[in-house]
Amino acid sequence: MHRPISMQSVETKASWAIATVVLVILTLSFGAPWITIVALKPIAAETAGLRSVPALATSLAWIGFGAGGIAMGYVAEKIGVRWTVIFGAVMIWMGLALSTGGETWHLYVGQGLFVGFFGIGGMNAPFYVYVSRWFDRRRGSALALISSGSYLAGAIWPSMFERAITYAGWRQTMFYYGLLEVILVVPLAAIFLRQPPELALPEGAFGTSPAPKTVMGWPPNLVFGLVAAAVIFCCIPMAMPQAHLPALCSDLGILASHGAAMLSVLLGTAFISRQFWGWVSDRAGGLNTVLIGSSFQIIAMIAFMLTQDEVGLFSVSAAFGLGFAGIIPAYILAIRELFPASEAYWRIPTFLLCSGGGMAIGGWMAGVLYDHFGTYGPAFAAGVGANVVNLVIVGLLVFRQRQRPSRFA
């Protein structure tokens, strides 16, 4: 249902309590894929030294939770997000356990199907729709908060995983982290996740208001297609440092513990700055925030290509985290601004599938290019090229929006 911003707000203290619990659940759940990233070199050592194998496993996880978000988002609308989250937590444990089996297909199926499709897929996209229905005035800030879960996970877990992998091995780390996921997430979901404060809606729909015939003067699906293409090209460079920074540091002779710490700096900066970007998006709008953040990102990607020393990489990592942090929640805010709420249940998960696809392509591409060239320089150059395409598409959308504004609550 459309909710004009001038109407009485649905936001309460309970809204922020729900958003905080969602953040905690996502921080725990997004820890699972980071184990493969931190253990990229040890896993590769068991697969003929090919980094593309664990990189592809991580990419399958991204594609999995993107595709799973569409299916599980529909299920969440039918039975409630509480149940998809509980199911997802159990699936993450099963996926991590399967990934330790020793065969390449165990890793691919465990990460892509169980951790990705059924696990995080049952949480991430359904949570965006769920939390957006608890907010109307500060929706951008709330979306920025919950979308920080993956980055808060990256800030907290890599250093811990590096120590655990060194002490016990990557297989034991995966298995016991999966147990921790079930022990913590299942009770949180059962206790806190309840129906949002919205009017009852007809079955199978989020509202009854008719969809617009045009968005910014163009067919709605054309605009959405451009947004989807933009996020794919945006997430290709976004994934590269996140998926390969520890391995890059190791190649340069930097201690593995320092590489994990560098990843934590990157994602910790992203978590902190994402709250700032949420504040910006509430005032500047979604597409304008995307354009600014993407411009920061391309500058940082170029800096990665030119930096080889440890101090410089720490600085560039922090700058990269600052730049890309607000992009994804700003896209989602833009979707809510451009399209009616009745379409959120399928547009947001579809968008996140495209986002996950871009992350998957970026992480996998960097591994393949490294295997071919023996250095990450060509991969980062390809990321810069993808970022240029993104800036062109987003710039076109921003220009069009200024000519023909369109906004939905």
Side-chain angles (χ1 to χ4, degrees):
M1 170 179 257
H2 299 244
R3 187 180 295 278
I5 300 300
S6 59
M7 290 180 64
Q8 184 177 1
S9 176
V10 300
E11 292 178 29
T12 64
K13 292 181 179 179
S15 301
W16 289 105
I18 290 292
T20 301
V21 170
V22 168
L23 173 64
V24 171
I25 292 174
L26 289 176
T27 300
L28 290 164
S29 301
F30 271 107
W34 288 111
I35 303 175
T36 306
I37 293 172
V38 175
L40 187 144
K41 290 188 75 172
I43 296 173
E46 300 182 20
T47 57
L50 295 176
R51 298 188 185 183
S52 55
V53 172
L56 179 57
T58 302
S59 296
L60 290 173
W62 281 105
I63 294 174
F65 78 69
I70 298 176
M72 300 302 285
Y74 177 80
V75 174
E77 176 62 12
K78 292 293 185 181
I79 67 174
V81 72
R82 171 187 294 168
W83 301 109
T84 63
V85 171
I86 291 174
F87 176 74
V90 176
M91 291 298 101
I92 288 174
W93 175 39
M94 292 180 62
L96 289 175
L98 178 61
S99 297
T100 66
E103 299 291 338
T104 300
W105 74 266
H106 290 152
L107 191 64
Y108 289 164
V109 174
Q111 296 292 311
L113 183 62
F114 288 94
V115 173
F117 189 95
F118 291 121
I120 301 175
M123 303 178 187
N124 192 50
F127 271 152
Y128 279 106
V129 177
Y130 175 71
V131 170
S132 73
R133 295 168 70 183
W134 283 89
F135 292 86
D136 47 19
R137 297 185 184 277
R138 290 170 290 181
R139 184 178 289 146
S141 297
L143 291 173
L145 178 66
I146 69 164
S147 65
S148 300
S150 62
Y151 303 128
L152 189 57
I156 293 172
W157 298 117
S159 294
M160 295 184 183
F161 289 156
E162 190 276 329
R163 295 187 183 95
I165 291 166
T166 300
Y167 175 76
W170 63 271
R171 288 184 172 84
Q172 289 78 7
T173 301
M174 281 190 177
F175 182 82
Y176 287 107
Y177 187 80
L179 280 179
L180 179 67
E181 170 82 11
V182 173
I183 291 170
L184 295 180
V185 170
V186 170
L188 283 174
I191 295 169
F192 290 101
L193 300 182
R194 54 189 175 86
Q195 288 297 315
E198 290 192 339
L199 296 176
L201 301 173
E203 182 164 342
F206 276 74
T208 57
S209 299
K213 294 182 179 179
T214 65
V215 173
M216 301 187 297
W218 286 343
N221 287 338
L222 172 62
V223 175
F224 185 69
L226 288 172
V227 172
V231 79
I232 291 173
F233 285 103
C234 174
C235 286
I236 288 173
M238 189 184 295
M240 290 179 174
Q242 295 182 61
H244 293 272
L245 187 56
L248 170 65
C249 290
S250 178
D251 291 344
L252 297 174
I254 299 171
L255 293 175
S257 58
H258 291 190
M262 199 177 295
L263 184 60
S264 293
V265 167
L266 187 156
L267 295 159
T269 304
F271 169 70
I272 295 171
S273 62
R274 178 159 280 190
Q275 314 319 306
F276 165 75
W277 288 115
W279 178 85
V280 170
S281 65
D282 278 335
R283 288 153 180 80
L287 286 177
N288 287 322
T289 305
V290 170
L291 186 63
I292 297 169
S294 186
S295 300
F296 273 92
Q297 178 174 272
I298 195 171
I299 293 171
M301 282 298 298
I302 294 172
F304 268 120
M305 294 174 58
L306 304 176
T307 306
Q308 297 291 303
D309 64 282
E310 183 173 350
V311 174
L313 283 173
F314 266 109
S315 300
V316 174
S317 297
F320 186 80
L322 172 65
F324 82 86
I327 295 176
I328 299 302
Y331 272 118
I332 294 173
L333 181 62
I335 291 172
R336 289 301 309 267
E337 291 171 341
L338 295 172
F339 303 97
S342 60
E343 299 176 356
Y345 79 100
W346 71 267
R347 289 201 187 272
I348 290 177
T350 302
F351 164 82
L352 290 173
L353 171 60
C354 295
S355 171
M359 296 292 290
I361 293 169
W364 171 78
M365 179 189 296
V368 169
L369 291 176
Y370 177 89
D371 288 341
H372 182 75
F373 292 102
T375 176
Y376 281 112
F380 288 156
V384 170
N387 211 141
V388 170
V389 176
N390 165 263
L391 284 171
V392 171
I393 298 173
V394 175
L396 173 64
L397 290 171
V398 168
F399 175 79
R400 187 70 180 180
Q401 186 180 43
R402 291 174 181 175
Q403 299 301 311
R404 295 172 176 262
S406 175
R407 184 180 183 89
F408 290 90

